[in-house]
Amino acid sequence: MKFFIDTANLEQIQEAQNMGILDGVTTNPSLMAKEGISGEENIINHYKNICSIVDGDVSAEVISTDFEGMVKEGEKLAALHSNIVVKVPMIKEGVKAIKYFSSKGIKTNCTLVFSAGQALLAAKAGATYVSPFIGRLDDVSTDGIDLIDQIRLIYDNYGYETQILAASVRHPMHIIQCAEIGADVMTGPLSAITALLKHPLTDIGLEKFLADFNKANG
Ligand code: G3P
């Protein structure tokens, strides 16, 4: 399973990259705003900076909600770097835009997906990635992981090549459950990724190994 980090924070992206386990980055307008990135030039430069840190796909989201606007924005974003993936919302105009981008060989990530029907449409339009938001489904008492399971089944039934990118991942169990089901990618915060490291027996064991070494070696 590929690990993407879901942030626009350059330090956190660098930290995950330094661990050697990072396969890509996802951003969205909220995450860009959280880092105080605004204005077209700053946004463009920020995407370029992210691409210079990570050797993997970087999702950059369009703001337009009409086909022509999405195409204009997406083509500009895609021209920034070969690793840019144009992130497009799951609306009718977005489906049209994904179809257009896929016919032009431009990678896409269909975002704001909350149902299997939406994921089916994204695959039919030729999206490179589909992003079901599992944490936000959990927030409204609907099992987000079940949706990943459902999409996996549907995509495998027909051999769709669209990669399931589990998004809105909030904690390490989300990551583990996504891996069990066979999500192609998960994107989550650095905290969820580093939480995978943690086990008290590892800490206790390491402490004992080092204590024994120090006793034996003076
Ligand atoms: O990748 C989508 C993600 O950014 C949404 O996460 O935590 O805002 O639901 P969250």
Side-chain angles (χ1 to χ4, degrees), residues 6 26 28 31 87 111 133 135-136 167-170 187:
D6 195 29
T26 51
N28 62 39
L31 292 171
K87 204 171 177 188
T111 189
F133 277 30
R136 291 193 192 182
S168 185
V169 158
R170 302 272 175 77
T187 189

Side-chain angles (χ1 to χ4, degrees), residues 7-197:
T7 184
N9 182 288
L10 298 181
E11 288 74 31
Q12 291 186 13
I13 293 169
Q14 186 68 63
E15 191 178 331
Q17 172 65 23
N18 291 347
M19 281 175 74
I21 49 82
L22 194 62
D23 300 299
V25 178
T26 51
T27 64
N28 62 39
S30 304
L31 292 171
M32 294 292 272
K34 191 173 163 198
E35 299 306 316
I37 312 298
S38 61
E40 194 181 344
E41 203 182 322
N42 291 334
I43 290 172
I44 294 288
N45 284 335
H46 204 71
Y47 287 137
K48 286 186 186 165
N49 288 334
I50 294 173
C51 289
S52 73
I53 297 174
V54 185
D55 184 21
D57 283 349
V58 173
S59 288
E61 189 157 341
V62 297
I63 304 303
S64 306
T65 53
D66 63 300
F67 173 76
E68 285 77 16
M70 287 182 190
V71 165
K72 198 169 156 209
E73 261 188 80
E75 286 183 332
K76 197 167 175 185
L77 289 168
L80 294 178
H81 194 283
S82 58
N83 286 345
I84 289 282
V85 176
V86 181
K87 204 171 177 188
V88 178
M90 170 37 77
I91 55 177
K92 197 196 282 181
E93 295 291 286
V95 172
K96 280 162 61 180
I98 288 168
K99 183 73 188 176
Y100 171 86
F101 288 132
S102 90
S103 75
K104 297 282 173 193
I106 293 174
K107 290 180 282 187
T108 52
N109 175 355
C110 182
T111 189
L112 289 167
V113 166
F114 293 93
S115 76
Q118 291 178 325
L120 187 52
L121 279 176
K124 285 193 68 68
T128 314
Y129 298 101
V130 64
S131 284
F133 277 30
I134 62 177
R136 291 193 192 182
L137 280 169
D138 288 356
D139 288 344
V140 295
S141 309
T142 304
D143 194 337
I145 290 293
D146 280 353
L147 177 59
I148 303 293
D149 213 6
Q150 222 181 342
I151 300 171
R152 179 76 285 155
L153 175 68
I154 291 169
Y155 283 10
D156 288 351
N157 279 347
Y158 298 98
Y160 287 124
E161 286 177 9
T162 298
Q163 295 178 56
I164 303 173
L165 194 171
S168 185
V169 158
R170 302 272 175 77
H171 50 73
M173 282 313 293
H174 270 156
I175 301 178
I176 292 162
Q177 289 167 326
C178 284
E180 284 172 346
I181 290 165
D184 300 288
V185 191
M186 80 82 206
T187 189
L190 185 61
S191 58
I193 296 172
T194 54
L196 293 173
L197 288 166

